[in-house]
Amino acid sequence: MVTALFTLIIISFQFWNDHRERNLAELIRFNPHDFAYIGFTMNKIPENKTFEWITEKVKPANELIETIGMYRVIRITEKEYNKALSEEKFEFTISHKTMPESIVFGTRNYLHILPGNYYKVLNGPIKMEWIRSYSEKYRKQYQE
């Protein structure tokens, strides 16, 4: 009986934690001391490439995490996320030397953080003009 109650409490807490409003930066694994690279793409990956640009410099990753950390998100269903697939998109991967990488697909109002976690931006929309400017600035320096 006690074990069942304890298990129910743990499951309830995990559900609540997964579905509460959160800061977007909390959901993206990023450790500047373990950083390996960031790869970024706007809208469409160029043919025979992995990203539009990629770098092992930590500054672009810091800048991105600092900016998107201003946004608050809440978990949603895949079906709700799929409604936004026709919007302007961005995607990035932050890889680490020892930690698992973070792969994020985003639009102005929704994000998909692999594996299978979907979020709606609550205090957005994400400023896509900033995302475009960020991407262009670093694409010029680090185009793959």
Side-chain angles (χ1 to χ4, degrees):
M1 177 69 173
V2 173
T3 304
L5 181 60
F6 185 68
T7 302
L8 181 61
I9 290 170
I10 289 174
I11 290 170
S12 297
F13 176 76
Q14 285 177 319
F15 181 83
W16 170 82
N17 191 47
D18 283 348
H19 292 82
R20 70 183 171 89
E21 182 178 321
R22 301 174 82 166
N23 176 306
L24 181 54
E26 292 174 33
L27 300 169
I28 299 170
R29 285 183 291 276
F30 175 61
N31 179 346
H33 305 293
D34 190 42
F35 178 80
Y37 71 84
I38 180 172
F40 195 94
T41 300
M42 280 295 298
N43 292 315
K44 186 178 178 194
I45 297 171
E47 194 171 319
N48 300 321
K49 301 289 182 186
T50 309
F51 304 102
E52 276 188 298
W53 60 266
I54 187 169
T55 183
E56 295 176 354
K57 306 280 188 210
V58 74
K59 181 183 175 200
N62 277 325
E63 185 178 341
L64 180 62
I65 295 299
E66 182 179 302
T67 300
I68 65 174
M70 298 183 306
Y71 294 101
R72 308 278 309 160
V73 296
I74 195 159
R75 196 159 183 180
I76 59 170
T77 65
E78 181 179 4
K79 184 177 180 181
E80 187 174 352
Y81 171 80
N82 286 337
K83 292 177 191 175
L85 291 181
S86 62
E87 294 181 13
E88 182 177 29
K89 299 177 217 32
F90 62 94
E91 97 178 55
F92 63 90
T93 297
I94 295 178
S95 186
H96 296 89
K97 295 171 188 142
T98 60
M99 293 173 28
E101 63 187 6
S102 287
I103 303 171
V104 179
F105 300 92
T107 67
R108 59 190 302 110
N109 294 301
Y110 299 95
L111 294 135
H112 176 196
I113 301 174
L114 294 181
N117 298 310
Y118 303 91
Y119 299 91
K120 180 177 184 175
V121 178
L122 298 175
N123 64 334
I126 292 174
K127 291 183 170 73
M128 294 303 284
E129 51 279 348
W130 184 90
I131 297 288
R132 282 190 299 276
S133 173
Y134 165 84
S135 178
E136 185 64 21
K137 174 172 74 172
Y138 290 113
R139 186 181 60 76
K140 287 178 181 175
Q141 295 177 50
Y142 305 118
Q143 190 166 15
E144 187 175 45

